[in-house]
Amino acid sequence: REAGQRDRLLVGRDEEIGLLRRAWQQSKSGHGQVVLVNGEPGIGKSALVDTLLAQLRDEGVPRITIRCSHYHTNTALYPVIEHVKKVIGWQAEDVPNLNLDRLEHRLKGDRMPLEELVPPLASLLSLPLPEGRYPPLNLSAQDLKQRILDDLAEWQFEIAQRQPTVMVWEDLHWADPSSLEYLSLLIEQVPTASLLLVLT
């Protein structure tokens, strides 16, 4: 039933689907694109995006989804934190050291510098660092926040450099201010990256 409903919402939307496909082709060639899918609830925004993602799934394209929530519009970086937790395989019931190990393992797999990225990202995830494992950050709250945003962007663009990537931000109207700052950083740098940003 859901598939049938989606198909009905897509009737007459060939032009919009074609636009998304063209944006993806440009992004693949290193000319990153930003597409805003805007409209009233129920007009088929998600159906459009789902159609693109289904086509790209067959190509093995990395797809990242950041889901903003109306329950967390005042929680700094909430959808970004939830995404990072999903990426590293976070287990809420585990002791913090195991989730720290997961963060390190994922960053190492993405060929990212652990000394630079682990301390700020551990702070983002409220993970305590064992004494002596990493140098202390010694940053003000504002500088730490900027460092976290910069490091998140660096990580994302490193991934896109190795393989063209699609990142979808759902329900952007519920995003908290810090998440919007992060998104702004991505938008500033996306023209030279193999990254397609789709915002709904």
Side-chain angles (χ1 to χ4, degrees), residues 112-113 116-117 149-159:
M112 301 302 292
E116 291 177 28
L117 269 69
L149 297 180
D150 290 341
D151 286 350
L152 286 168
E154 179 188 350
W155 188 10
Q156 181 55 62
F157 284 117
E158 176 63 29
I159 292 169

Side-chain angles (χ1 to χ4, degrees), residues 15-45:
E15 184 178 341
E16 289 89 345
I17 293 170
L19 185 149
L20 285 170
R21 288 292 304 183
R22 289 191 298 276
W24 169 240
Q25 292 303 322
Q26 289 181 296
S27 298
K28 276 205 301 187
S29 65
H31 303 286
Q33 302 288 306
V34 182
V35 178
L36 175 64
V37 182
N38 191 23
E40 295 299 317
I43 66 165
K45 298 186 297 294

Side-chain angles (χ1 to χ4, degrees), residues 79-92:
V80 180
I81 291 169
E82 291 303 299
H83 164 66
V84 172
K85 285 180 174 180
K86 182 177 177 184
V87 163
I88 68 172
W90 178 280
Q91 298 292 327

Side-chain angles (χ1 to χ4, degrees), residues 46-142:
S46 295
L48 272 175
V49 175
D50 288 348
T51 299
L52 173 71
L53 294 181
Q55 292 172 359
L56 298 184
R57 189 179 300 119
D58 297 337
E59 299 176 25
V61 174
R63 293 158 291 116
I64 296 164
T65 302
I66 308 285
R67 291 186 171 87
C68 305
S69 164
H70 67 286
Y71 295 112
H72 299 282
T73 54
N74 296 313
T75 305
L77 291 170
Y78 172 80
V80 180
I81 291 169
E82 291 303 299
H83 164 66
V84 172
K85 285 180 174 180
K86 182 177 177 184
V87 163
I88 68 172
W90 178 280
Q91 298 292 327
E93 65 276 7
D94 278 348
V95 295
N97 273 358
L98 290 178
N99 283 318
L100 179 62
D101 291 343
R102 291 185 176 98
L103 174 63
E104 291 172 327
H105 180 74
R106 178 56 195 250
L107 289 170
K108 197 180 294 182
D110 286 334
R111 298 193 286 255
M112 301 302 292
L114 298 189
E115 288 248 328
E116 291 177 28
L117 269 69
V118 169
L121 295 182
S123 173
L124 172 72
L125 299 171
S126 301
L127 286 172
L129 291 175
E131 194 171 343
R133 193 153 163 180
Y134 293 96
L137 285 170
N138 296 325
L139 297 173
S140 68
Q142 182 57 40

